[in-house]
Amino acid sequence: QGFVWWPDGARRLHVRALAGDKDSSFATSVSLDMEIRDMELHEHGDAPCPWCGSPAPMVPEPLSRGPMSLLRCGTCGFGWPAPVPTHDSLRAIYEVQYWDQAPPEQTSPADCGDTDFLIRKFEPYSNGGKRILEVGCGQGALLQGLHSRGFDVTGVDIAKNAAPNIEERLGVTVHRQPMHTVELAAPVDVVIARHVVEHALTPVEDLKWMRRQLNPGGIIMMVVPNTASAAASLFGASWE
């Protein structure tokens, strides 16, 4: 995938996904709006930290991907990509990215990544309830894994093609819209947000919204990258 210029002057993200051999492929082009097309020229400037609000200068990390780089707050250590795209731009990025991931139908419910690991981590602190909300559910692998283990799950993702067909296959509800516009049918016992907050435009408000969705005794489980981890130190600028 890569940026290509079209005759009309618009830049689009062109994606080609190969399946099996070069004769069986799928290609599409996704129009990206002005905010994302101008990201390479946009500077973060003196905006305060989106987590703690500190006006202290941001510290650049030796990490980058395409036009994006990583900044770290010198006060609280929170890191986020810069420049920061808009909600619509984020949706466009994720809708393209999800083409690169295997659909849930090709994944065994017994092998859905870190499902059992996450359950072991949150169960000791939970209220014992079975209702779980995953924010940023992606292709729905964790939703499928939790559902197969008896949990009542719901997903939220800004991408319109997130967790395709999971409603028909499993009866799982997925809200494909910004979380702040979602009204759940009932409160939940656990909110899981894996690698979400570091991409958020308004992380503090997002966390407050998650908290409002909880039953008494409910918990929020967040998974975030750690720039001080052994993996970050080992891989350096190529760490993701």
Side-chain angles (χ1 to χ4, degrees):
Q1 65 184 41
F3 286 110
V4 294
W5 287 98
W6 284 54
D8 61 3
R11 183 164 56 171
R12 296 178 171 87
L13 187 62
H14 185 72
V15 180
R16 179 172 294 277
L18 297 179
D21 57 57
K22 64 181 180 181
D23 295 324
S24 57
S25 64
F26 170 83
T28 187
S29 294
V30 179
S31 299
L32 302 182
D33 61 24
M34 183 62 69
E35 288 82 1
I36 193 134
R37 287 192 280 116
D38 288 345
M39 278 204 310
E40 295 178 38
L41 303 176
H42 177 72
E43 297 293 337
H44 183 268
D46 298 323
C49 171
W51 186 256
C52 73
S54 171
M58 301 298 106
V59 180
E61 293 281 354
L63 300 168
S64 64
R65 185 174 183 180
M68 310 294 291
S69 60
L70 182 67
L71 297 179
R72 176 173 55 83
C73 176
T75 301
C76 72
F78 181 75
W80 71 96
V84 179
T86 64
H87 281 290
D88 289 340
S89 300
L90 278 175
R91 179 184 294 113
I93 292 171
Y94 289 131
E95 287 174 0
V96 171
Q97 177 184 342
Y98 290 159
W99 282 110
D100 296 335
Q101 302 177 10
E105 301 94 300
Q106 300 178 13
T107 306
S108 167
D111 299 315
C112 288
D114 50 5
T115 303
D116 291 324
F117 171 79
L118 294 174
I119 292 174
R120 290 196 301 271
K121 290 298 182 180
F122 72 67
E123 278 194 329
Y125 305 98
S126 72
N127 58 11
K130 291 290 187 177
R131 290 183 52 81
I132 297 181
L133 171 68
E134 184 185 12
V135 175
C137 62
Q139 280 281 28
L142 180 59
L143 291 178
Q144 179 171 280
L146 293 168
H147 179 272
S148 70
R149 289 156 176 80
F151 290 94
D152 180 5
V153 295
T154 301
V156 174
D157 199 290
I158 61 173
K160 295 178 182 177
N161 59 345
N165 305 318
I166 198 168
E167 291 96 339
E168 293 82 356
R169 293 187 298 106
L170 302 178
V172 171
T173 298
V174 174
H175 301 274
R176 299 174 181 88
Q177 61 197 83
M179 71 174 75
H180 302 100
T181 66
V182 173
E183 294 186 8
L184 299 181
V188 299
D189 304 297
V190 181
V191 174
I192 298 177
R194 297 180 303 157
H195 299 289
V196 170
V197 67
E198 70 272 18
H199 301 283
L201 305 181
T202 54
V204 175
E205 294 305 314
D206 292 351
L207 187 60
K208 291 178 179 178
W209 181 90
M210 295 180 204
R211 185 177 182 181
R212 291 196 297 271
Q213 312 312 311
L214 293 173
N215 276 316
I219 62 171
I220 298 172
M221 181 179 193
M222 292 195 299
V223 180
V224 297
N226 181 5
T227 57
S229 66
S233 300
L234 179 64
F235 292 103
S238 62
W239 174 69
E240 293 186 5

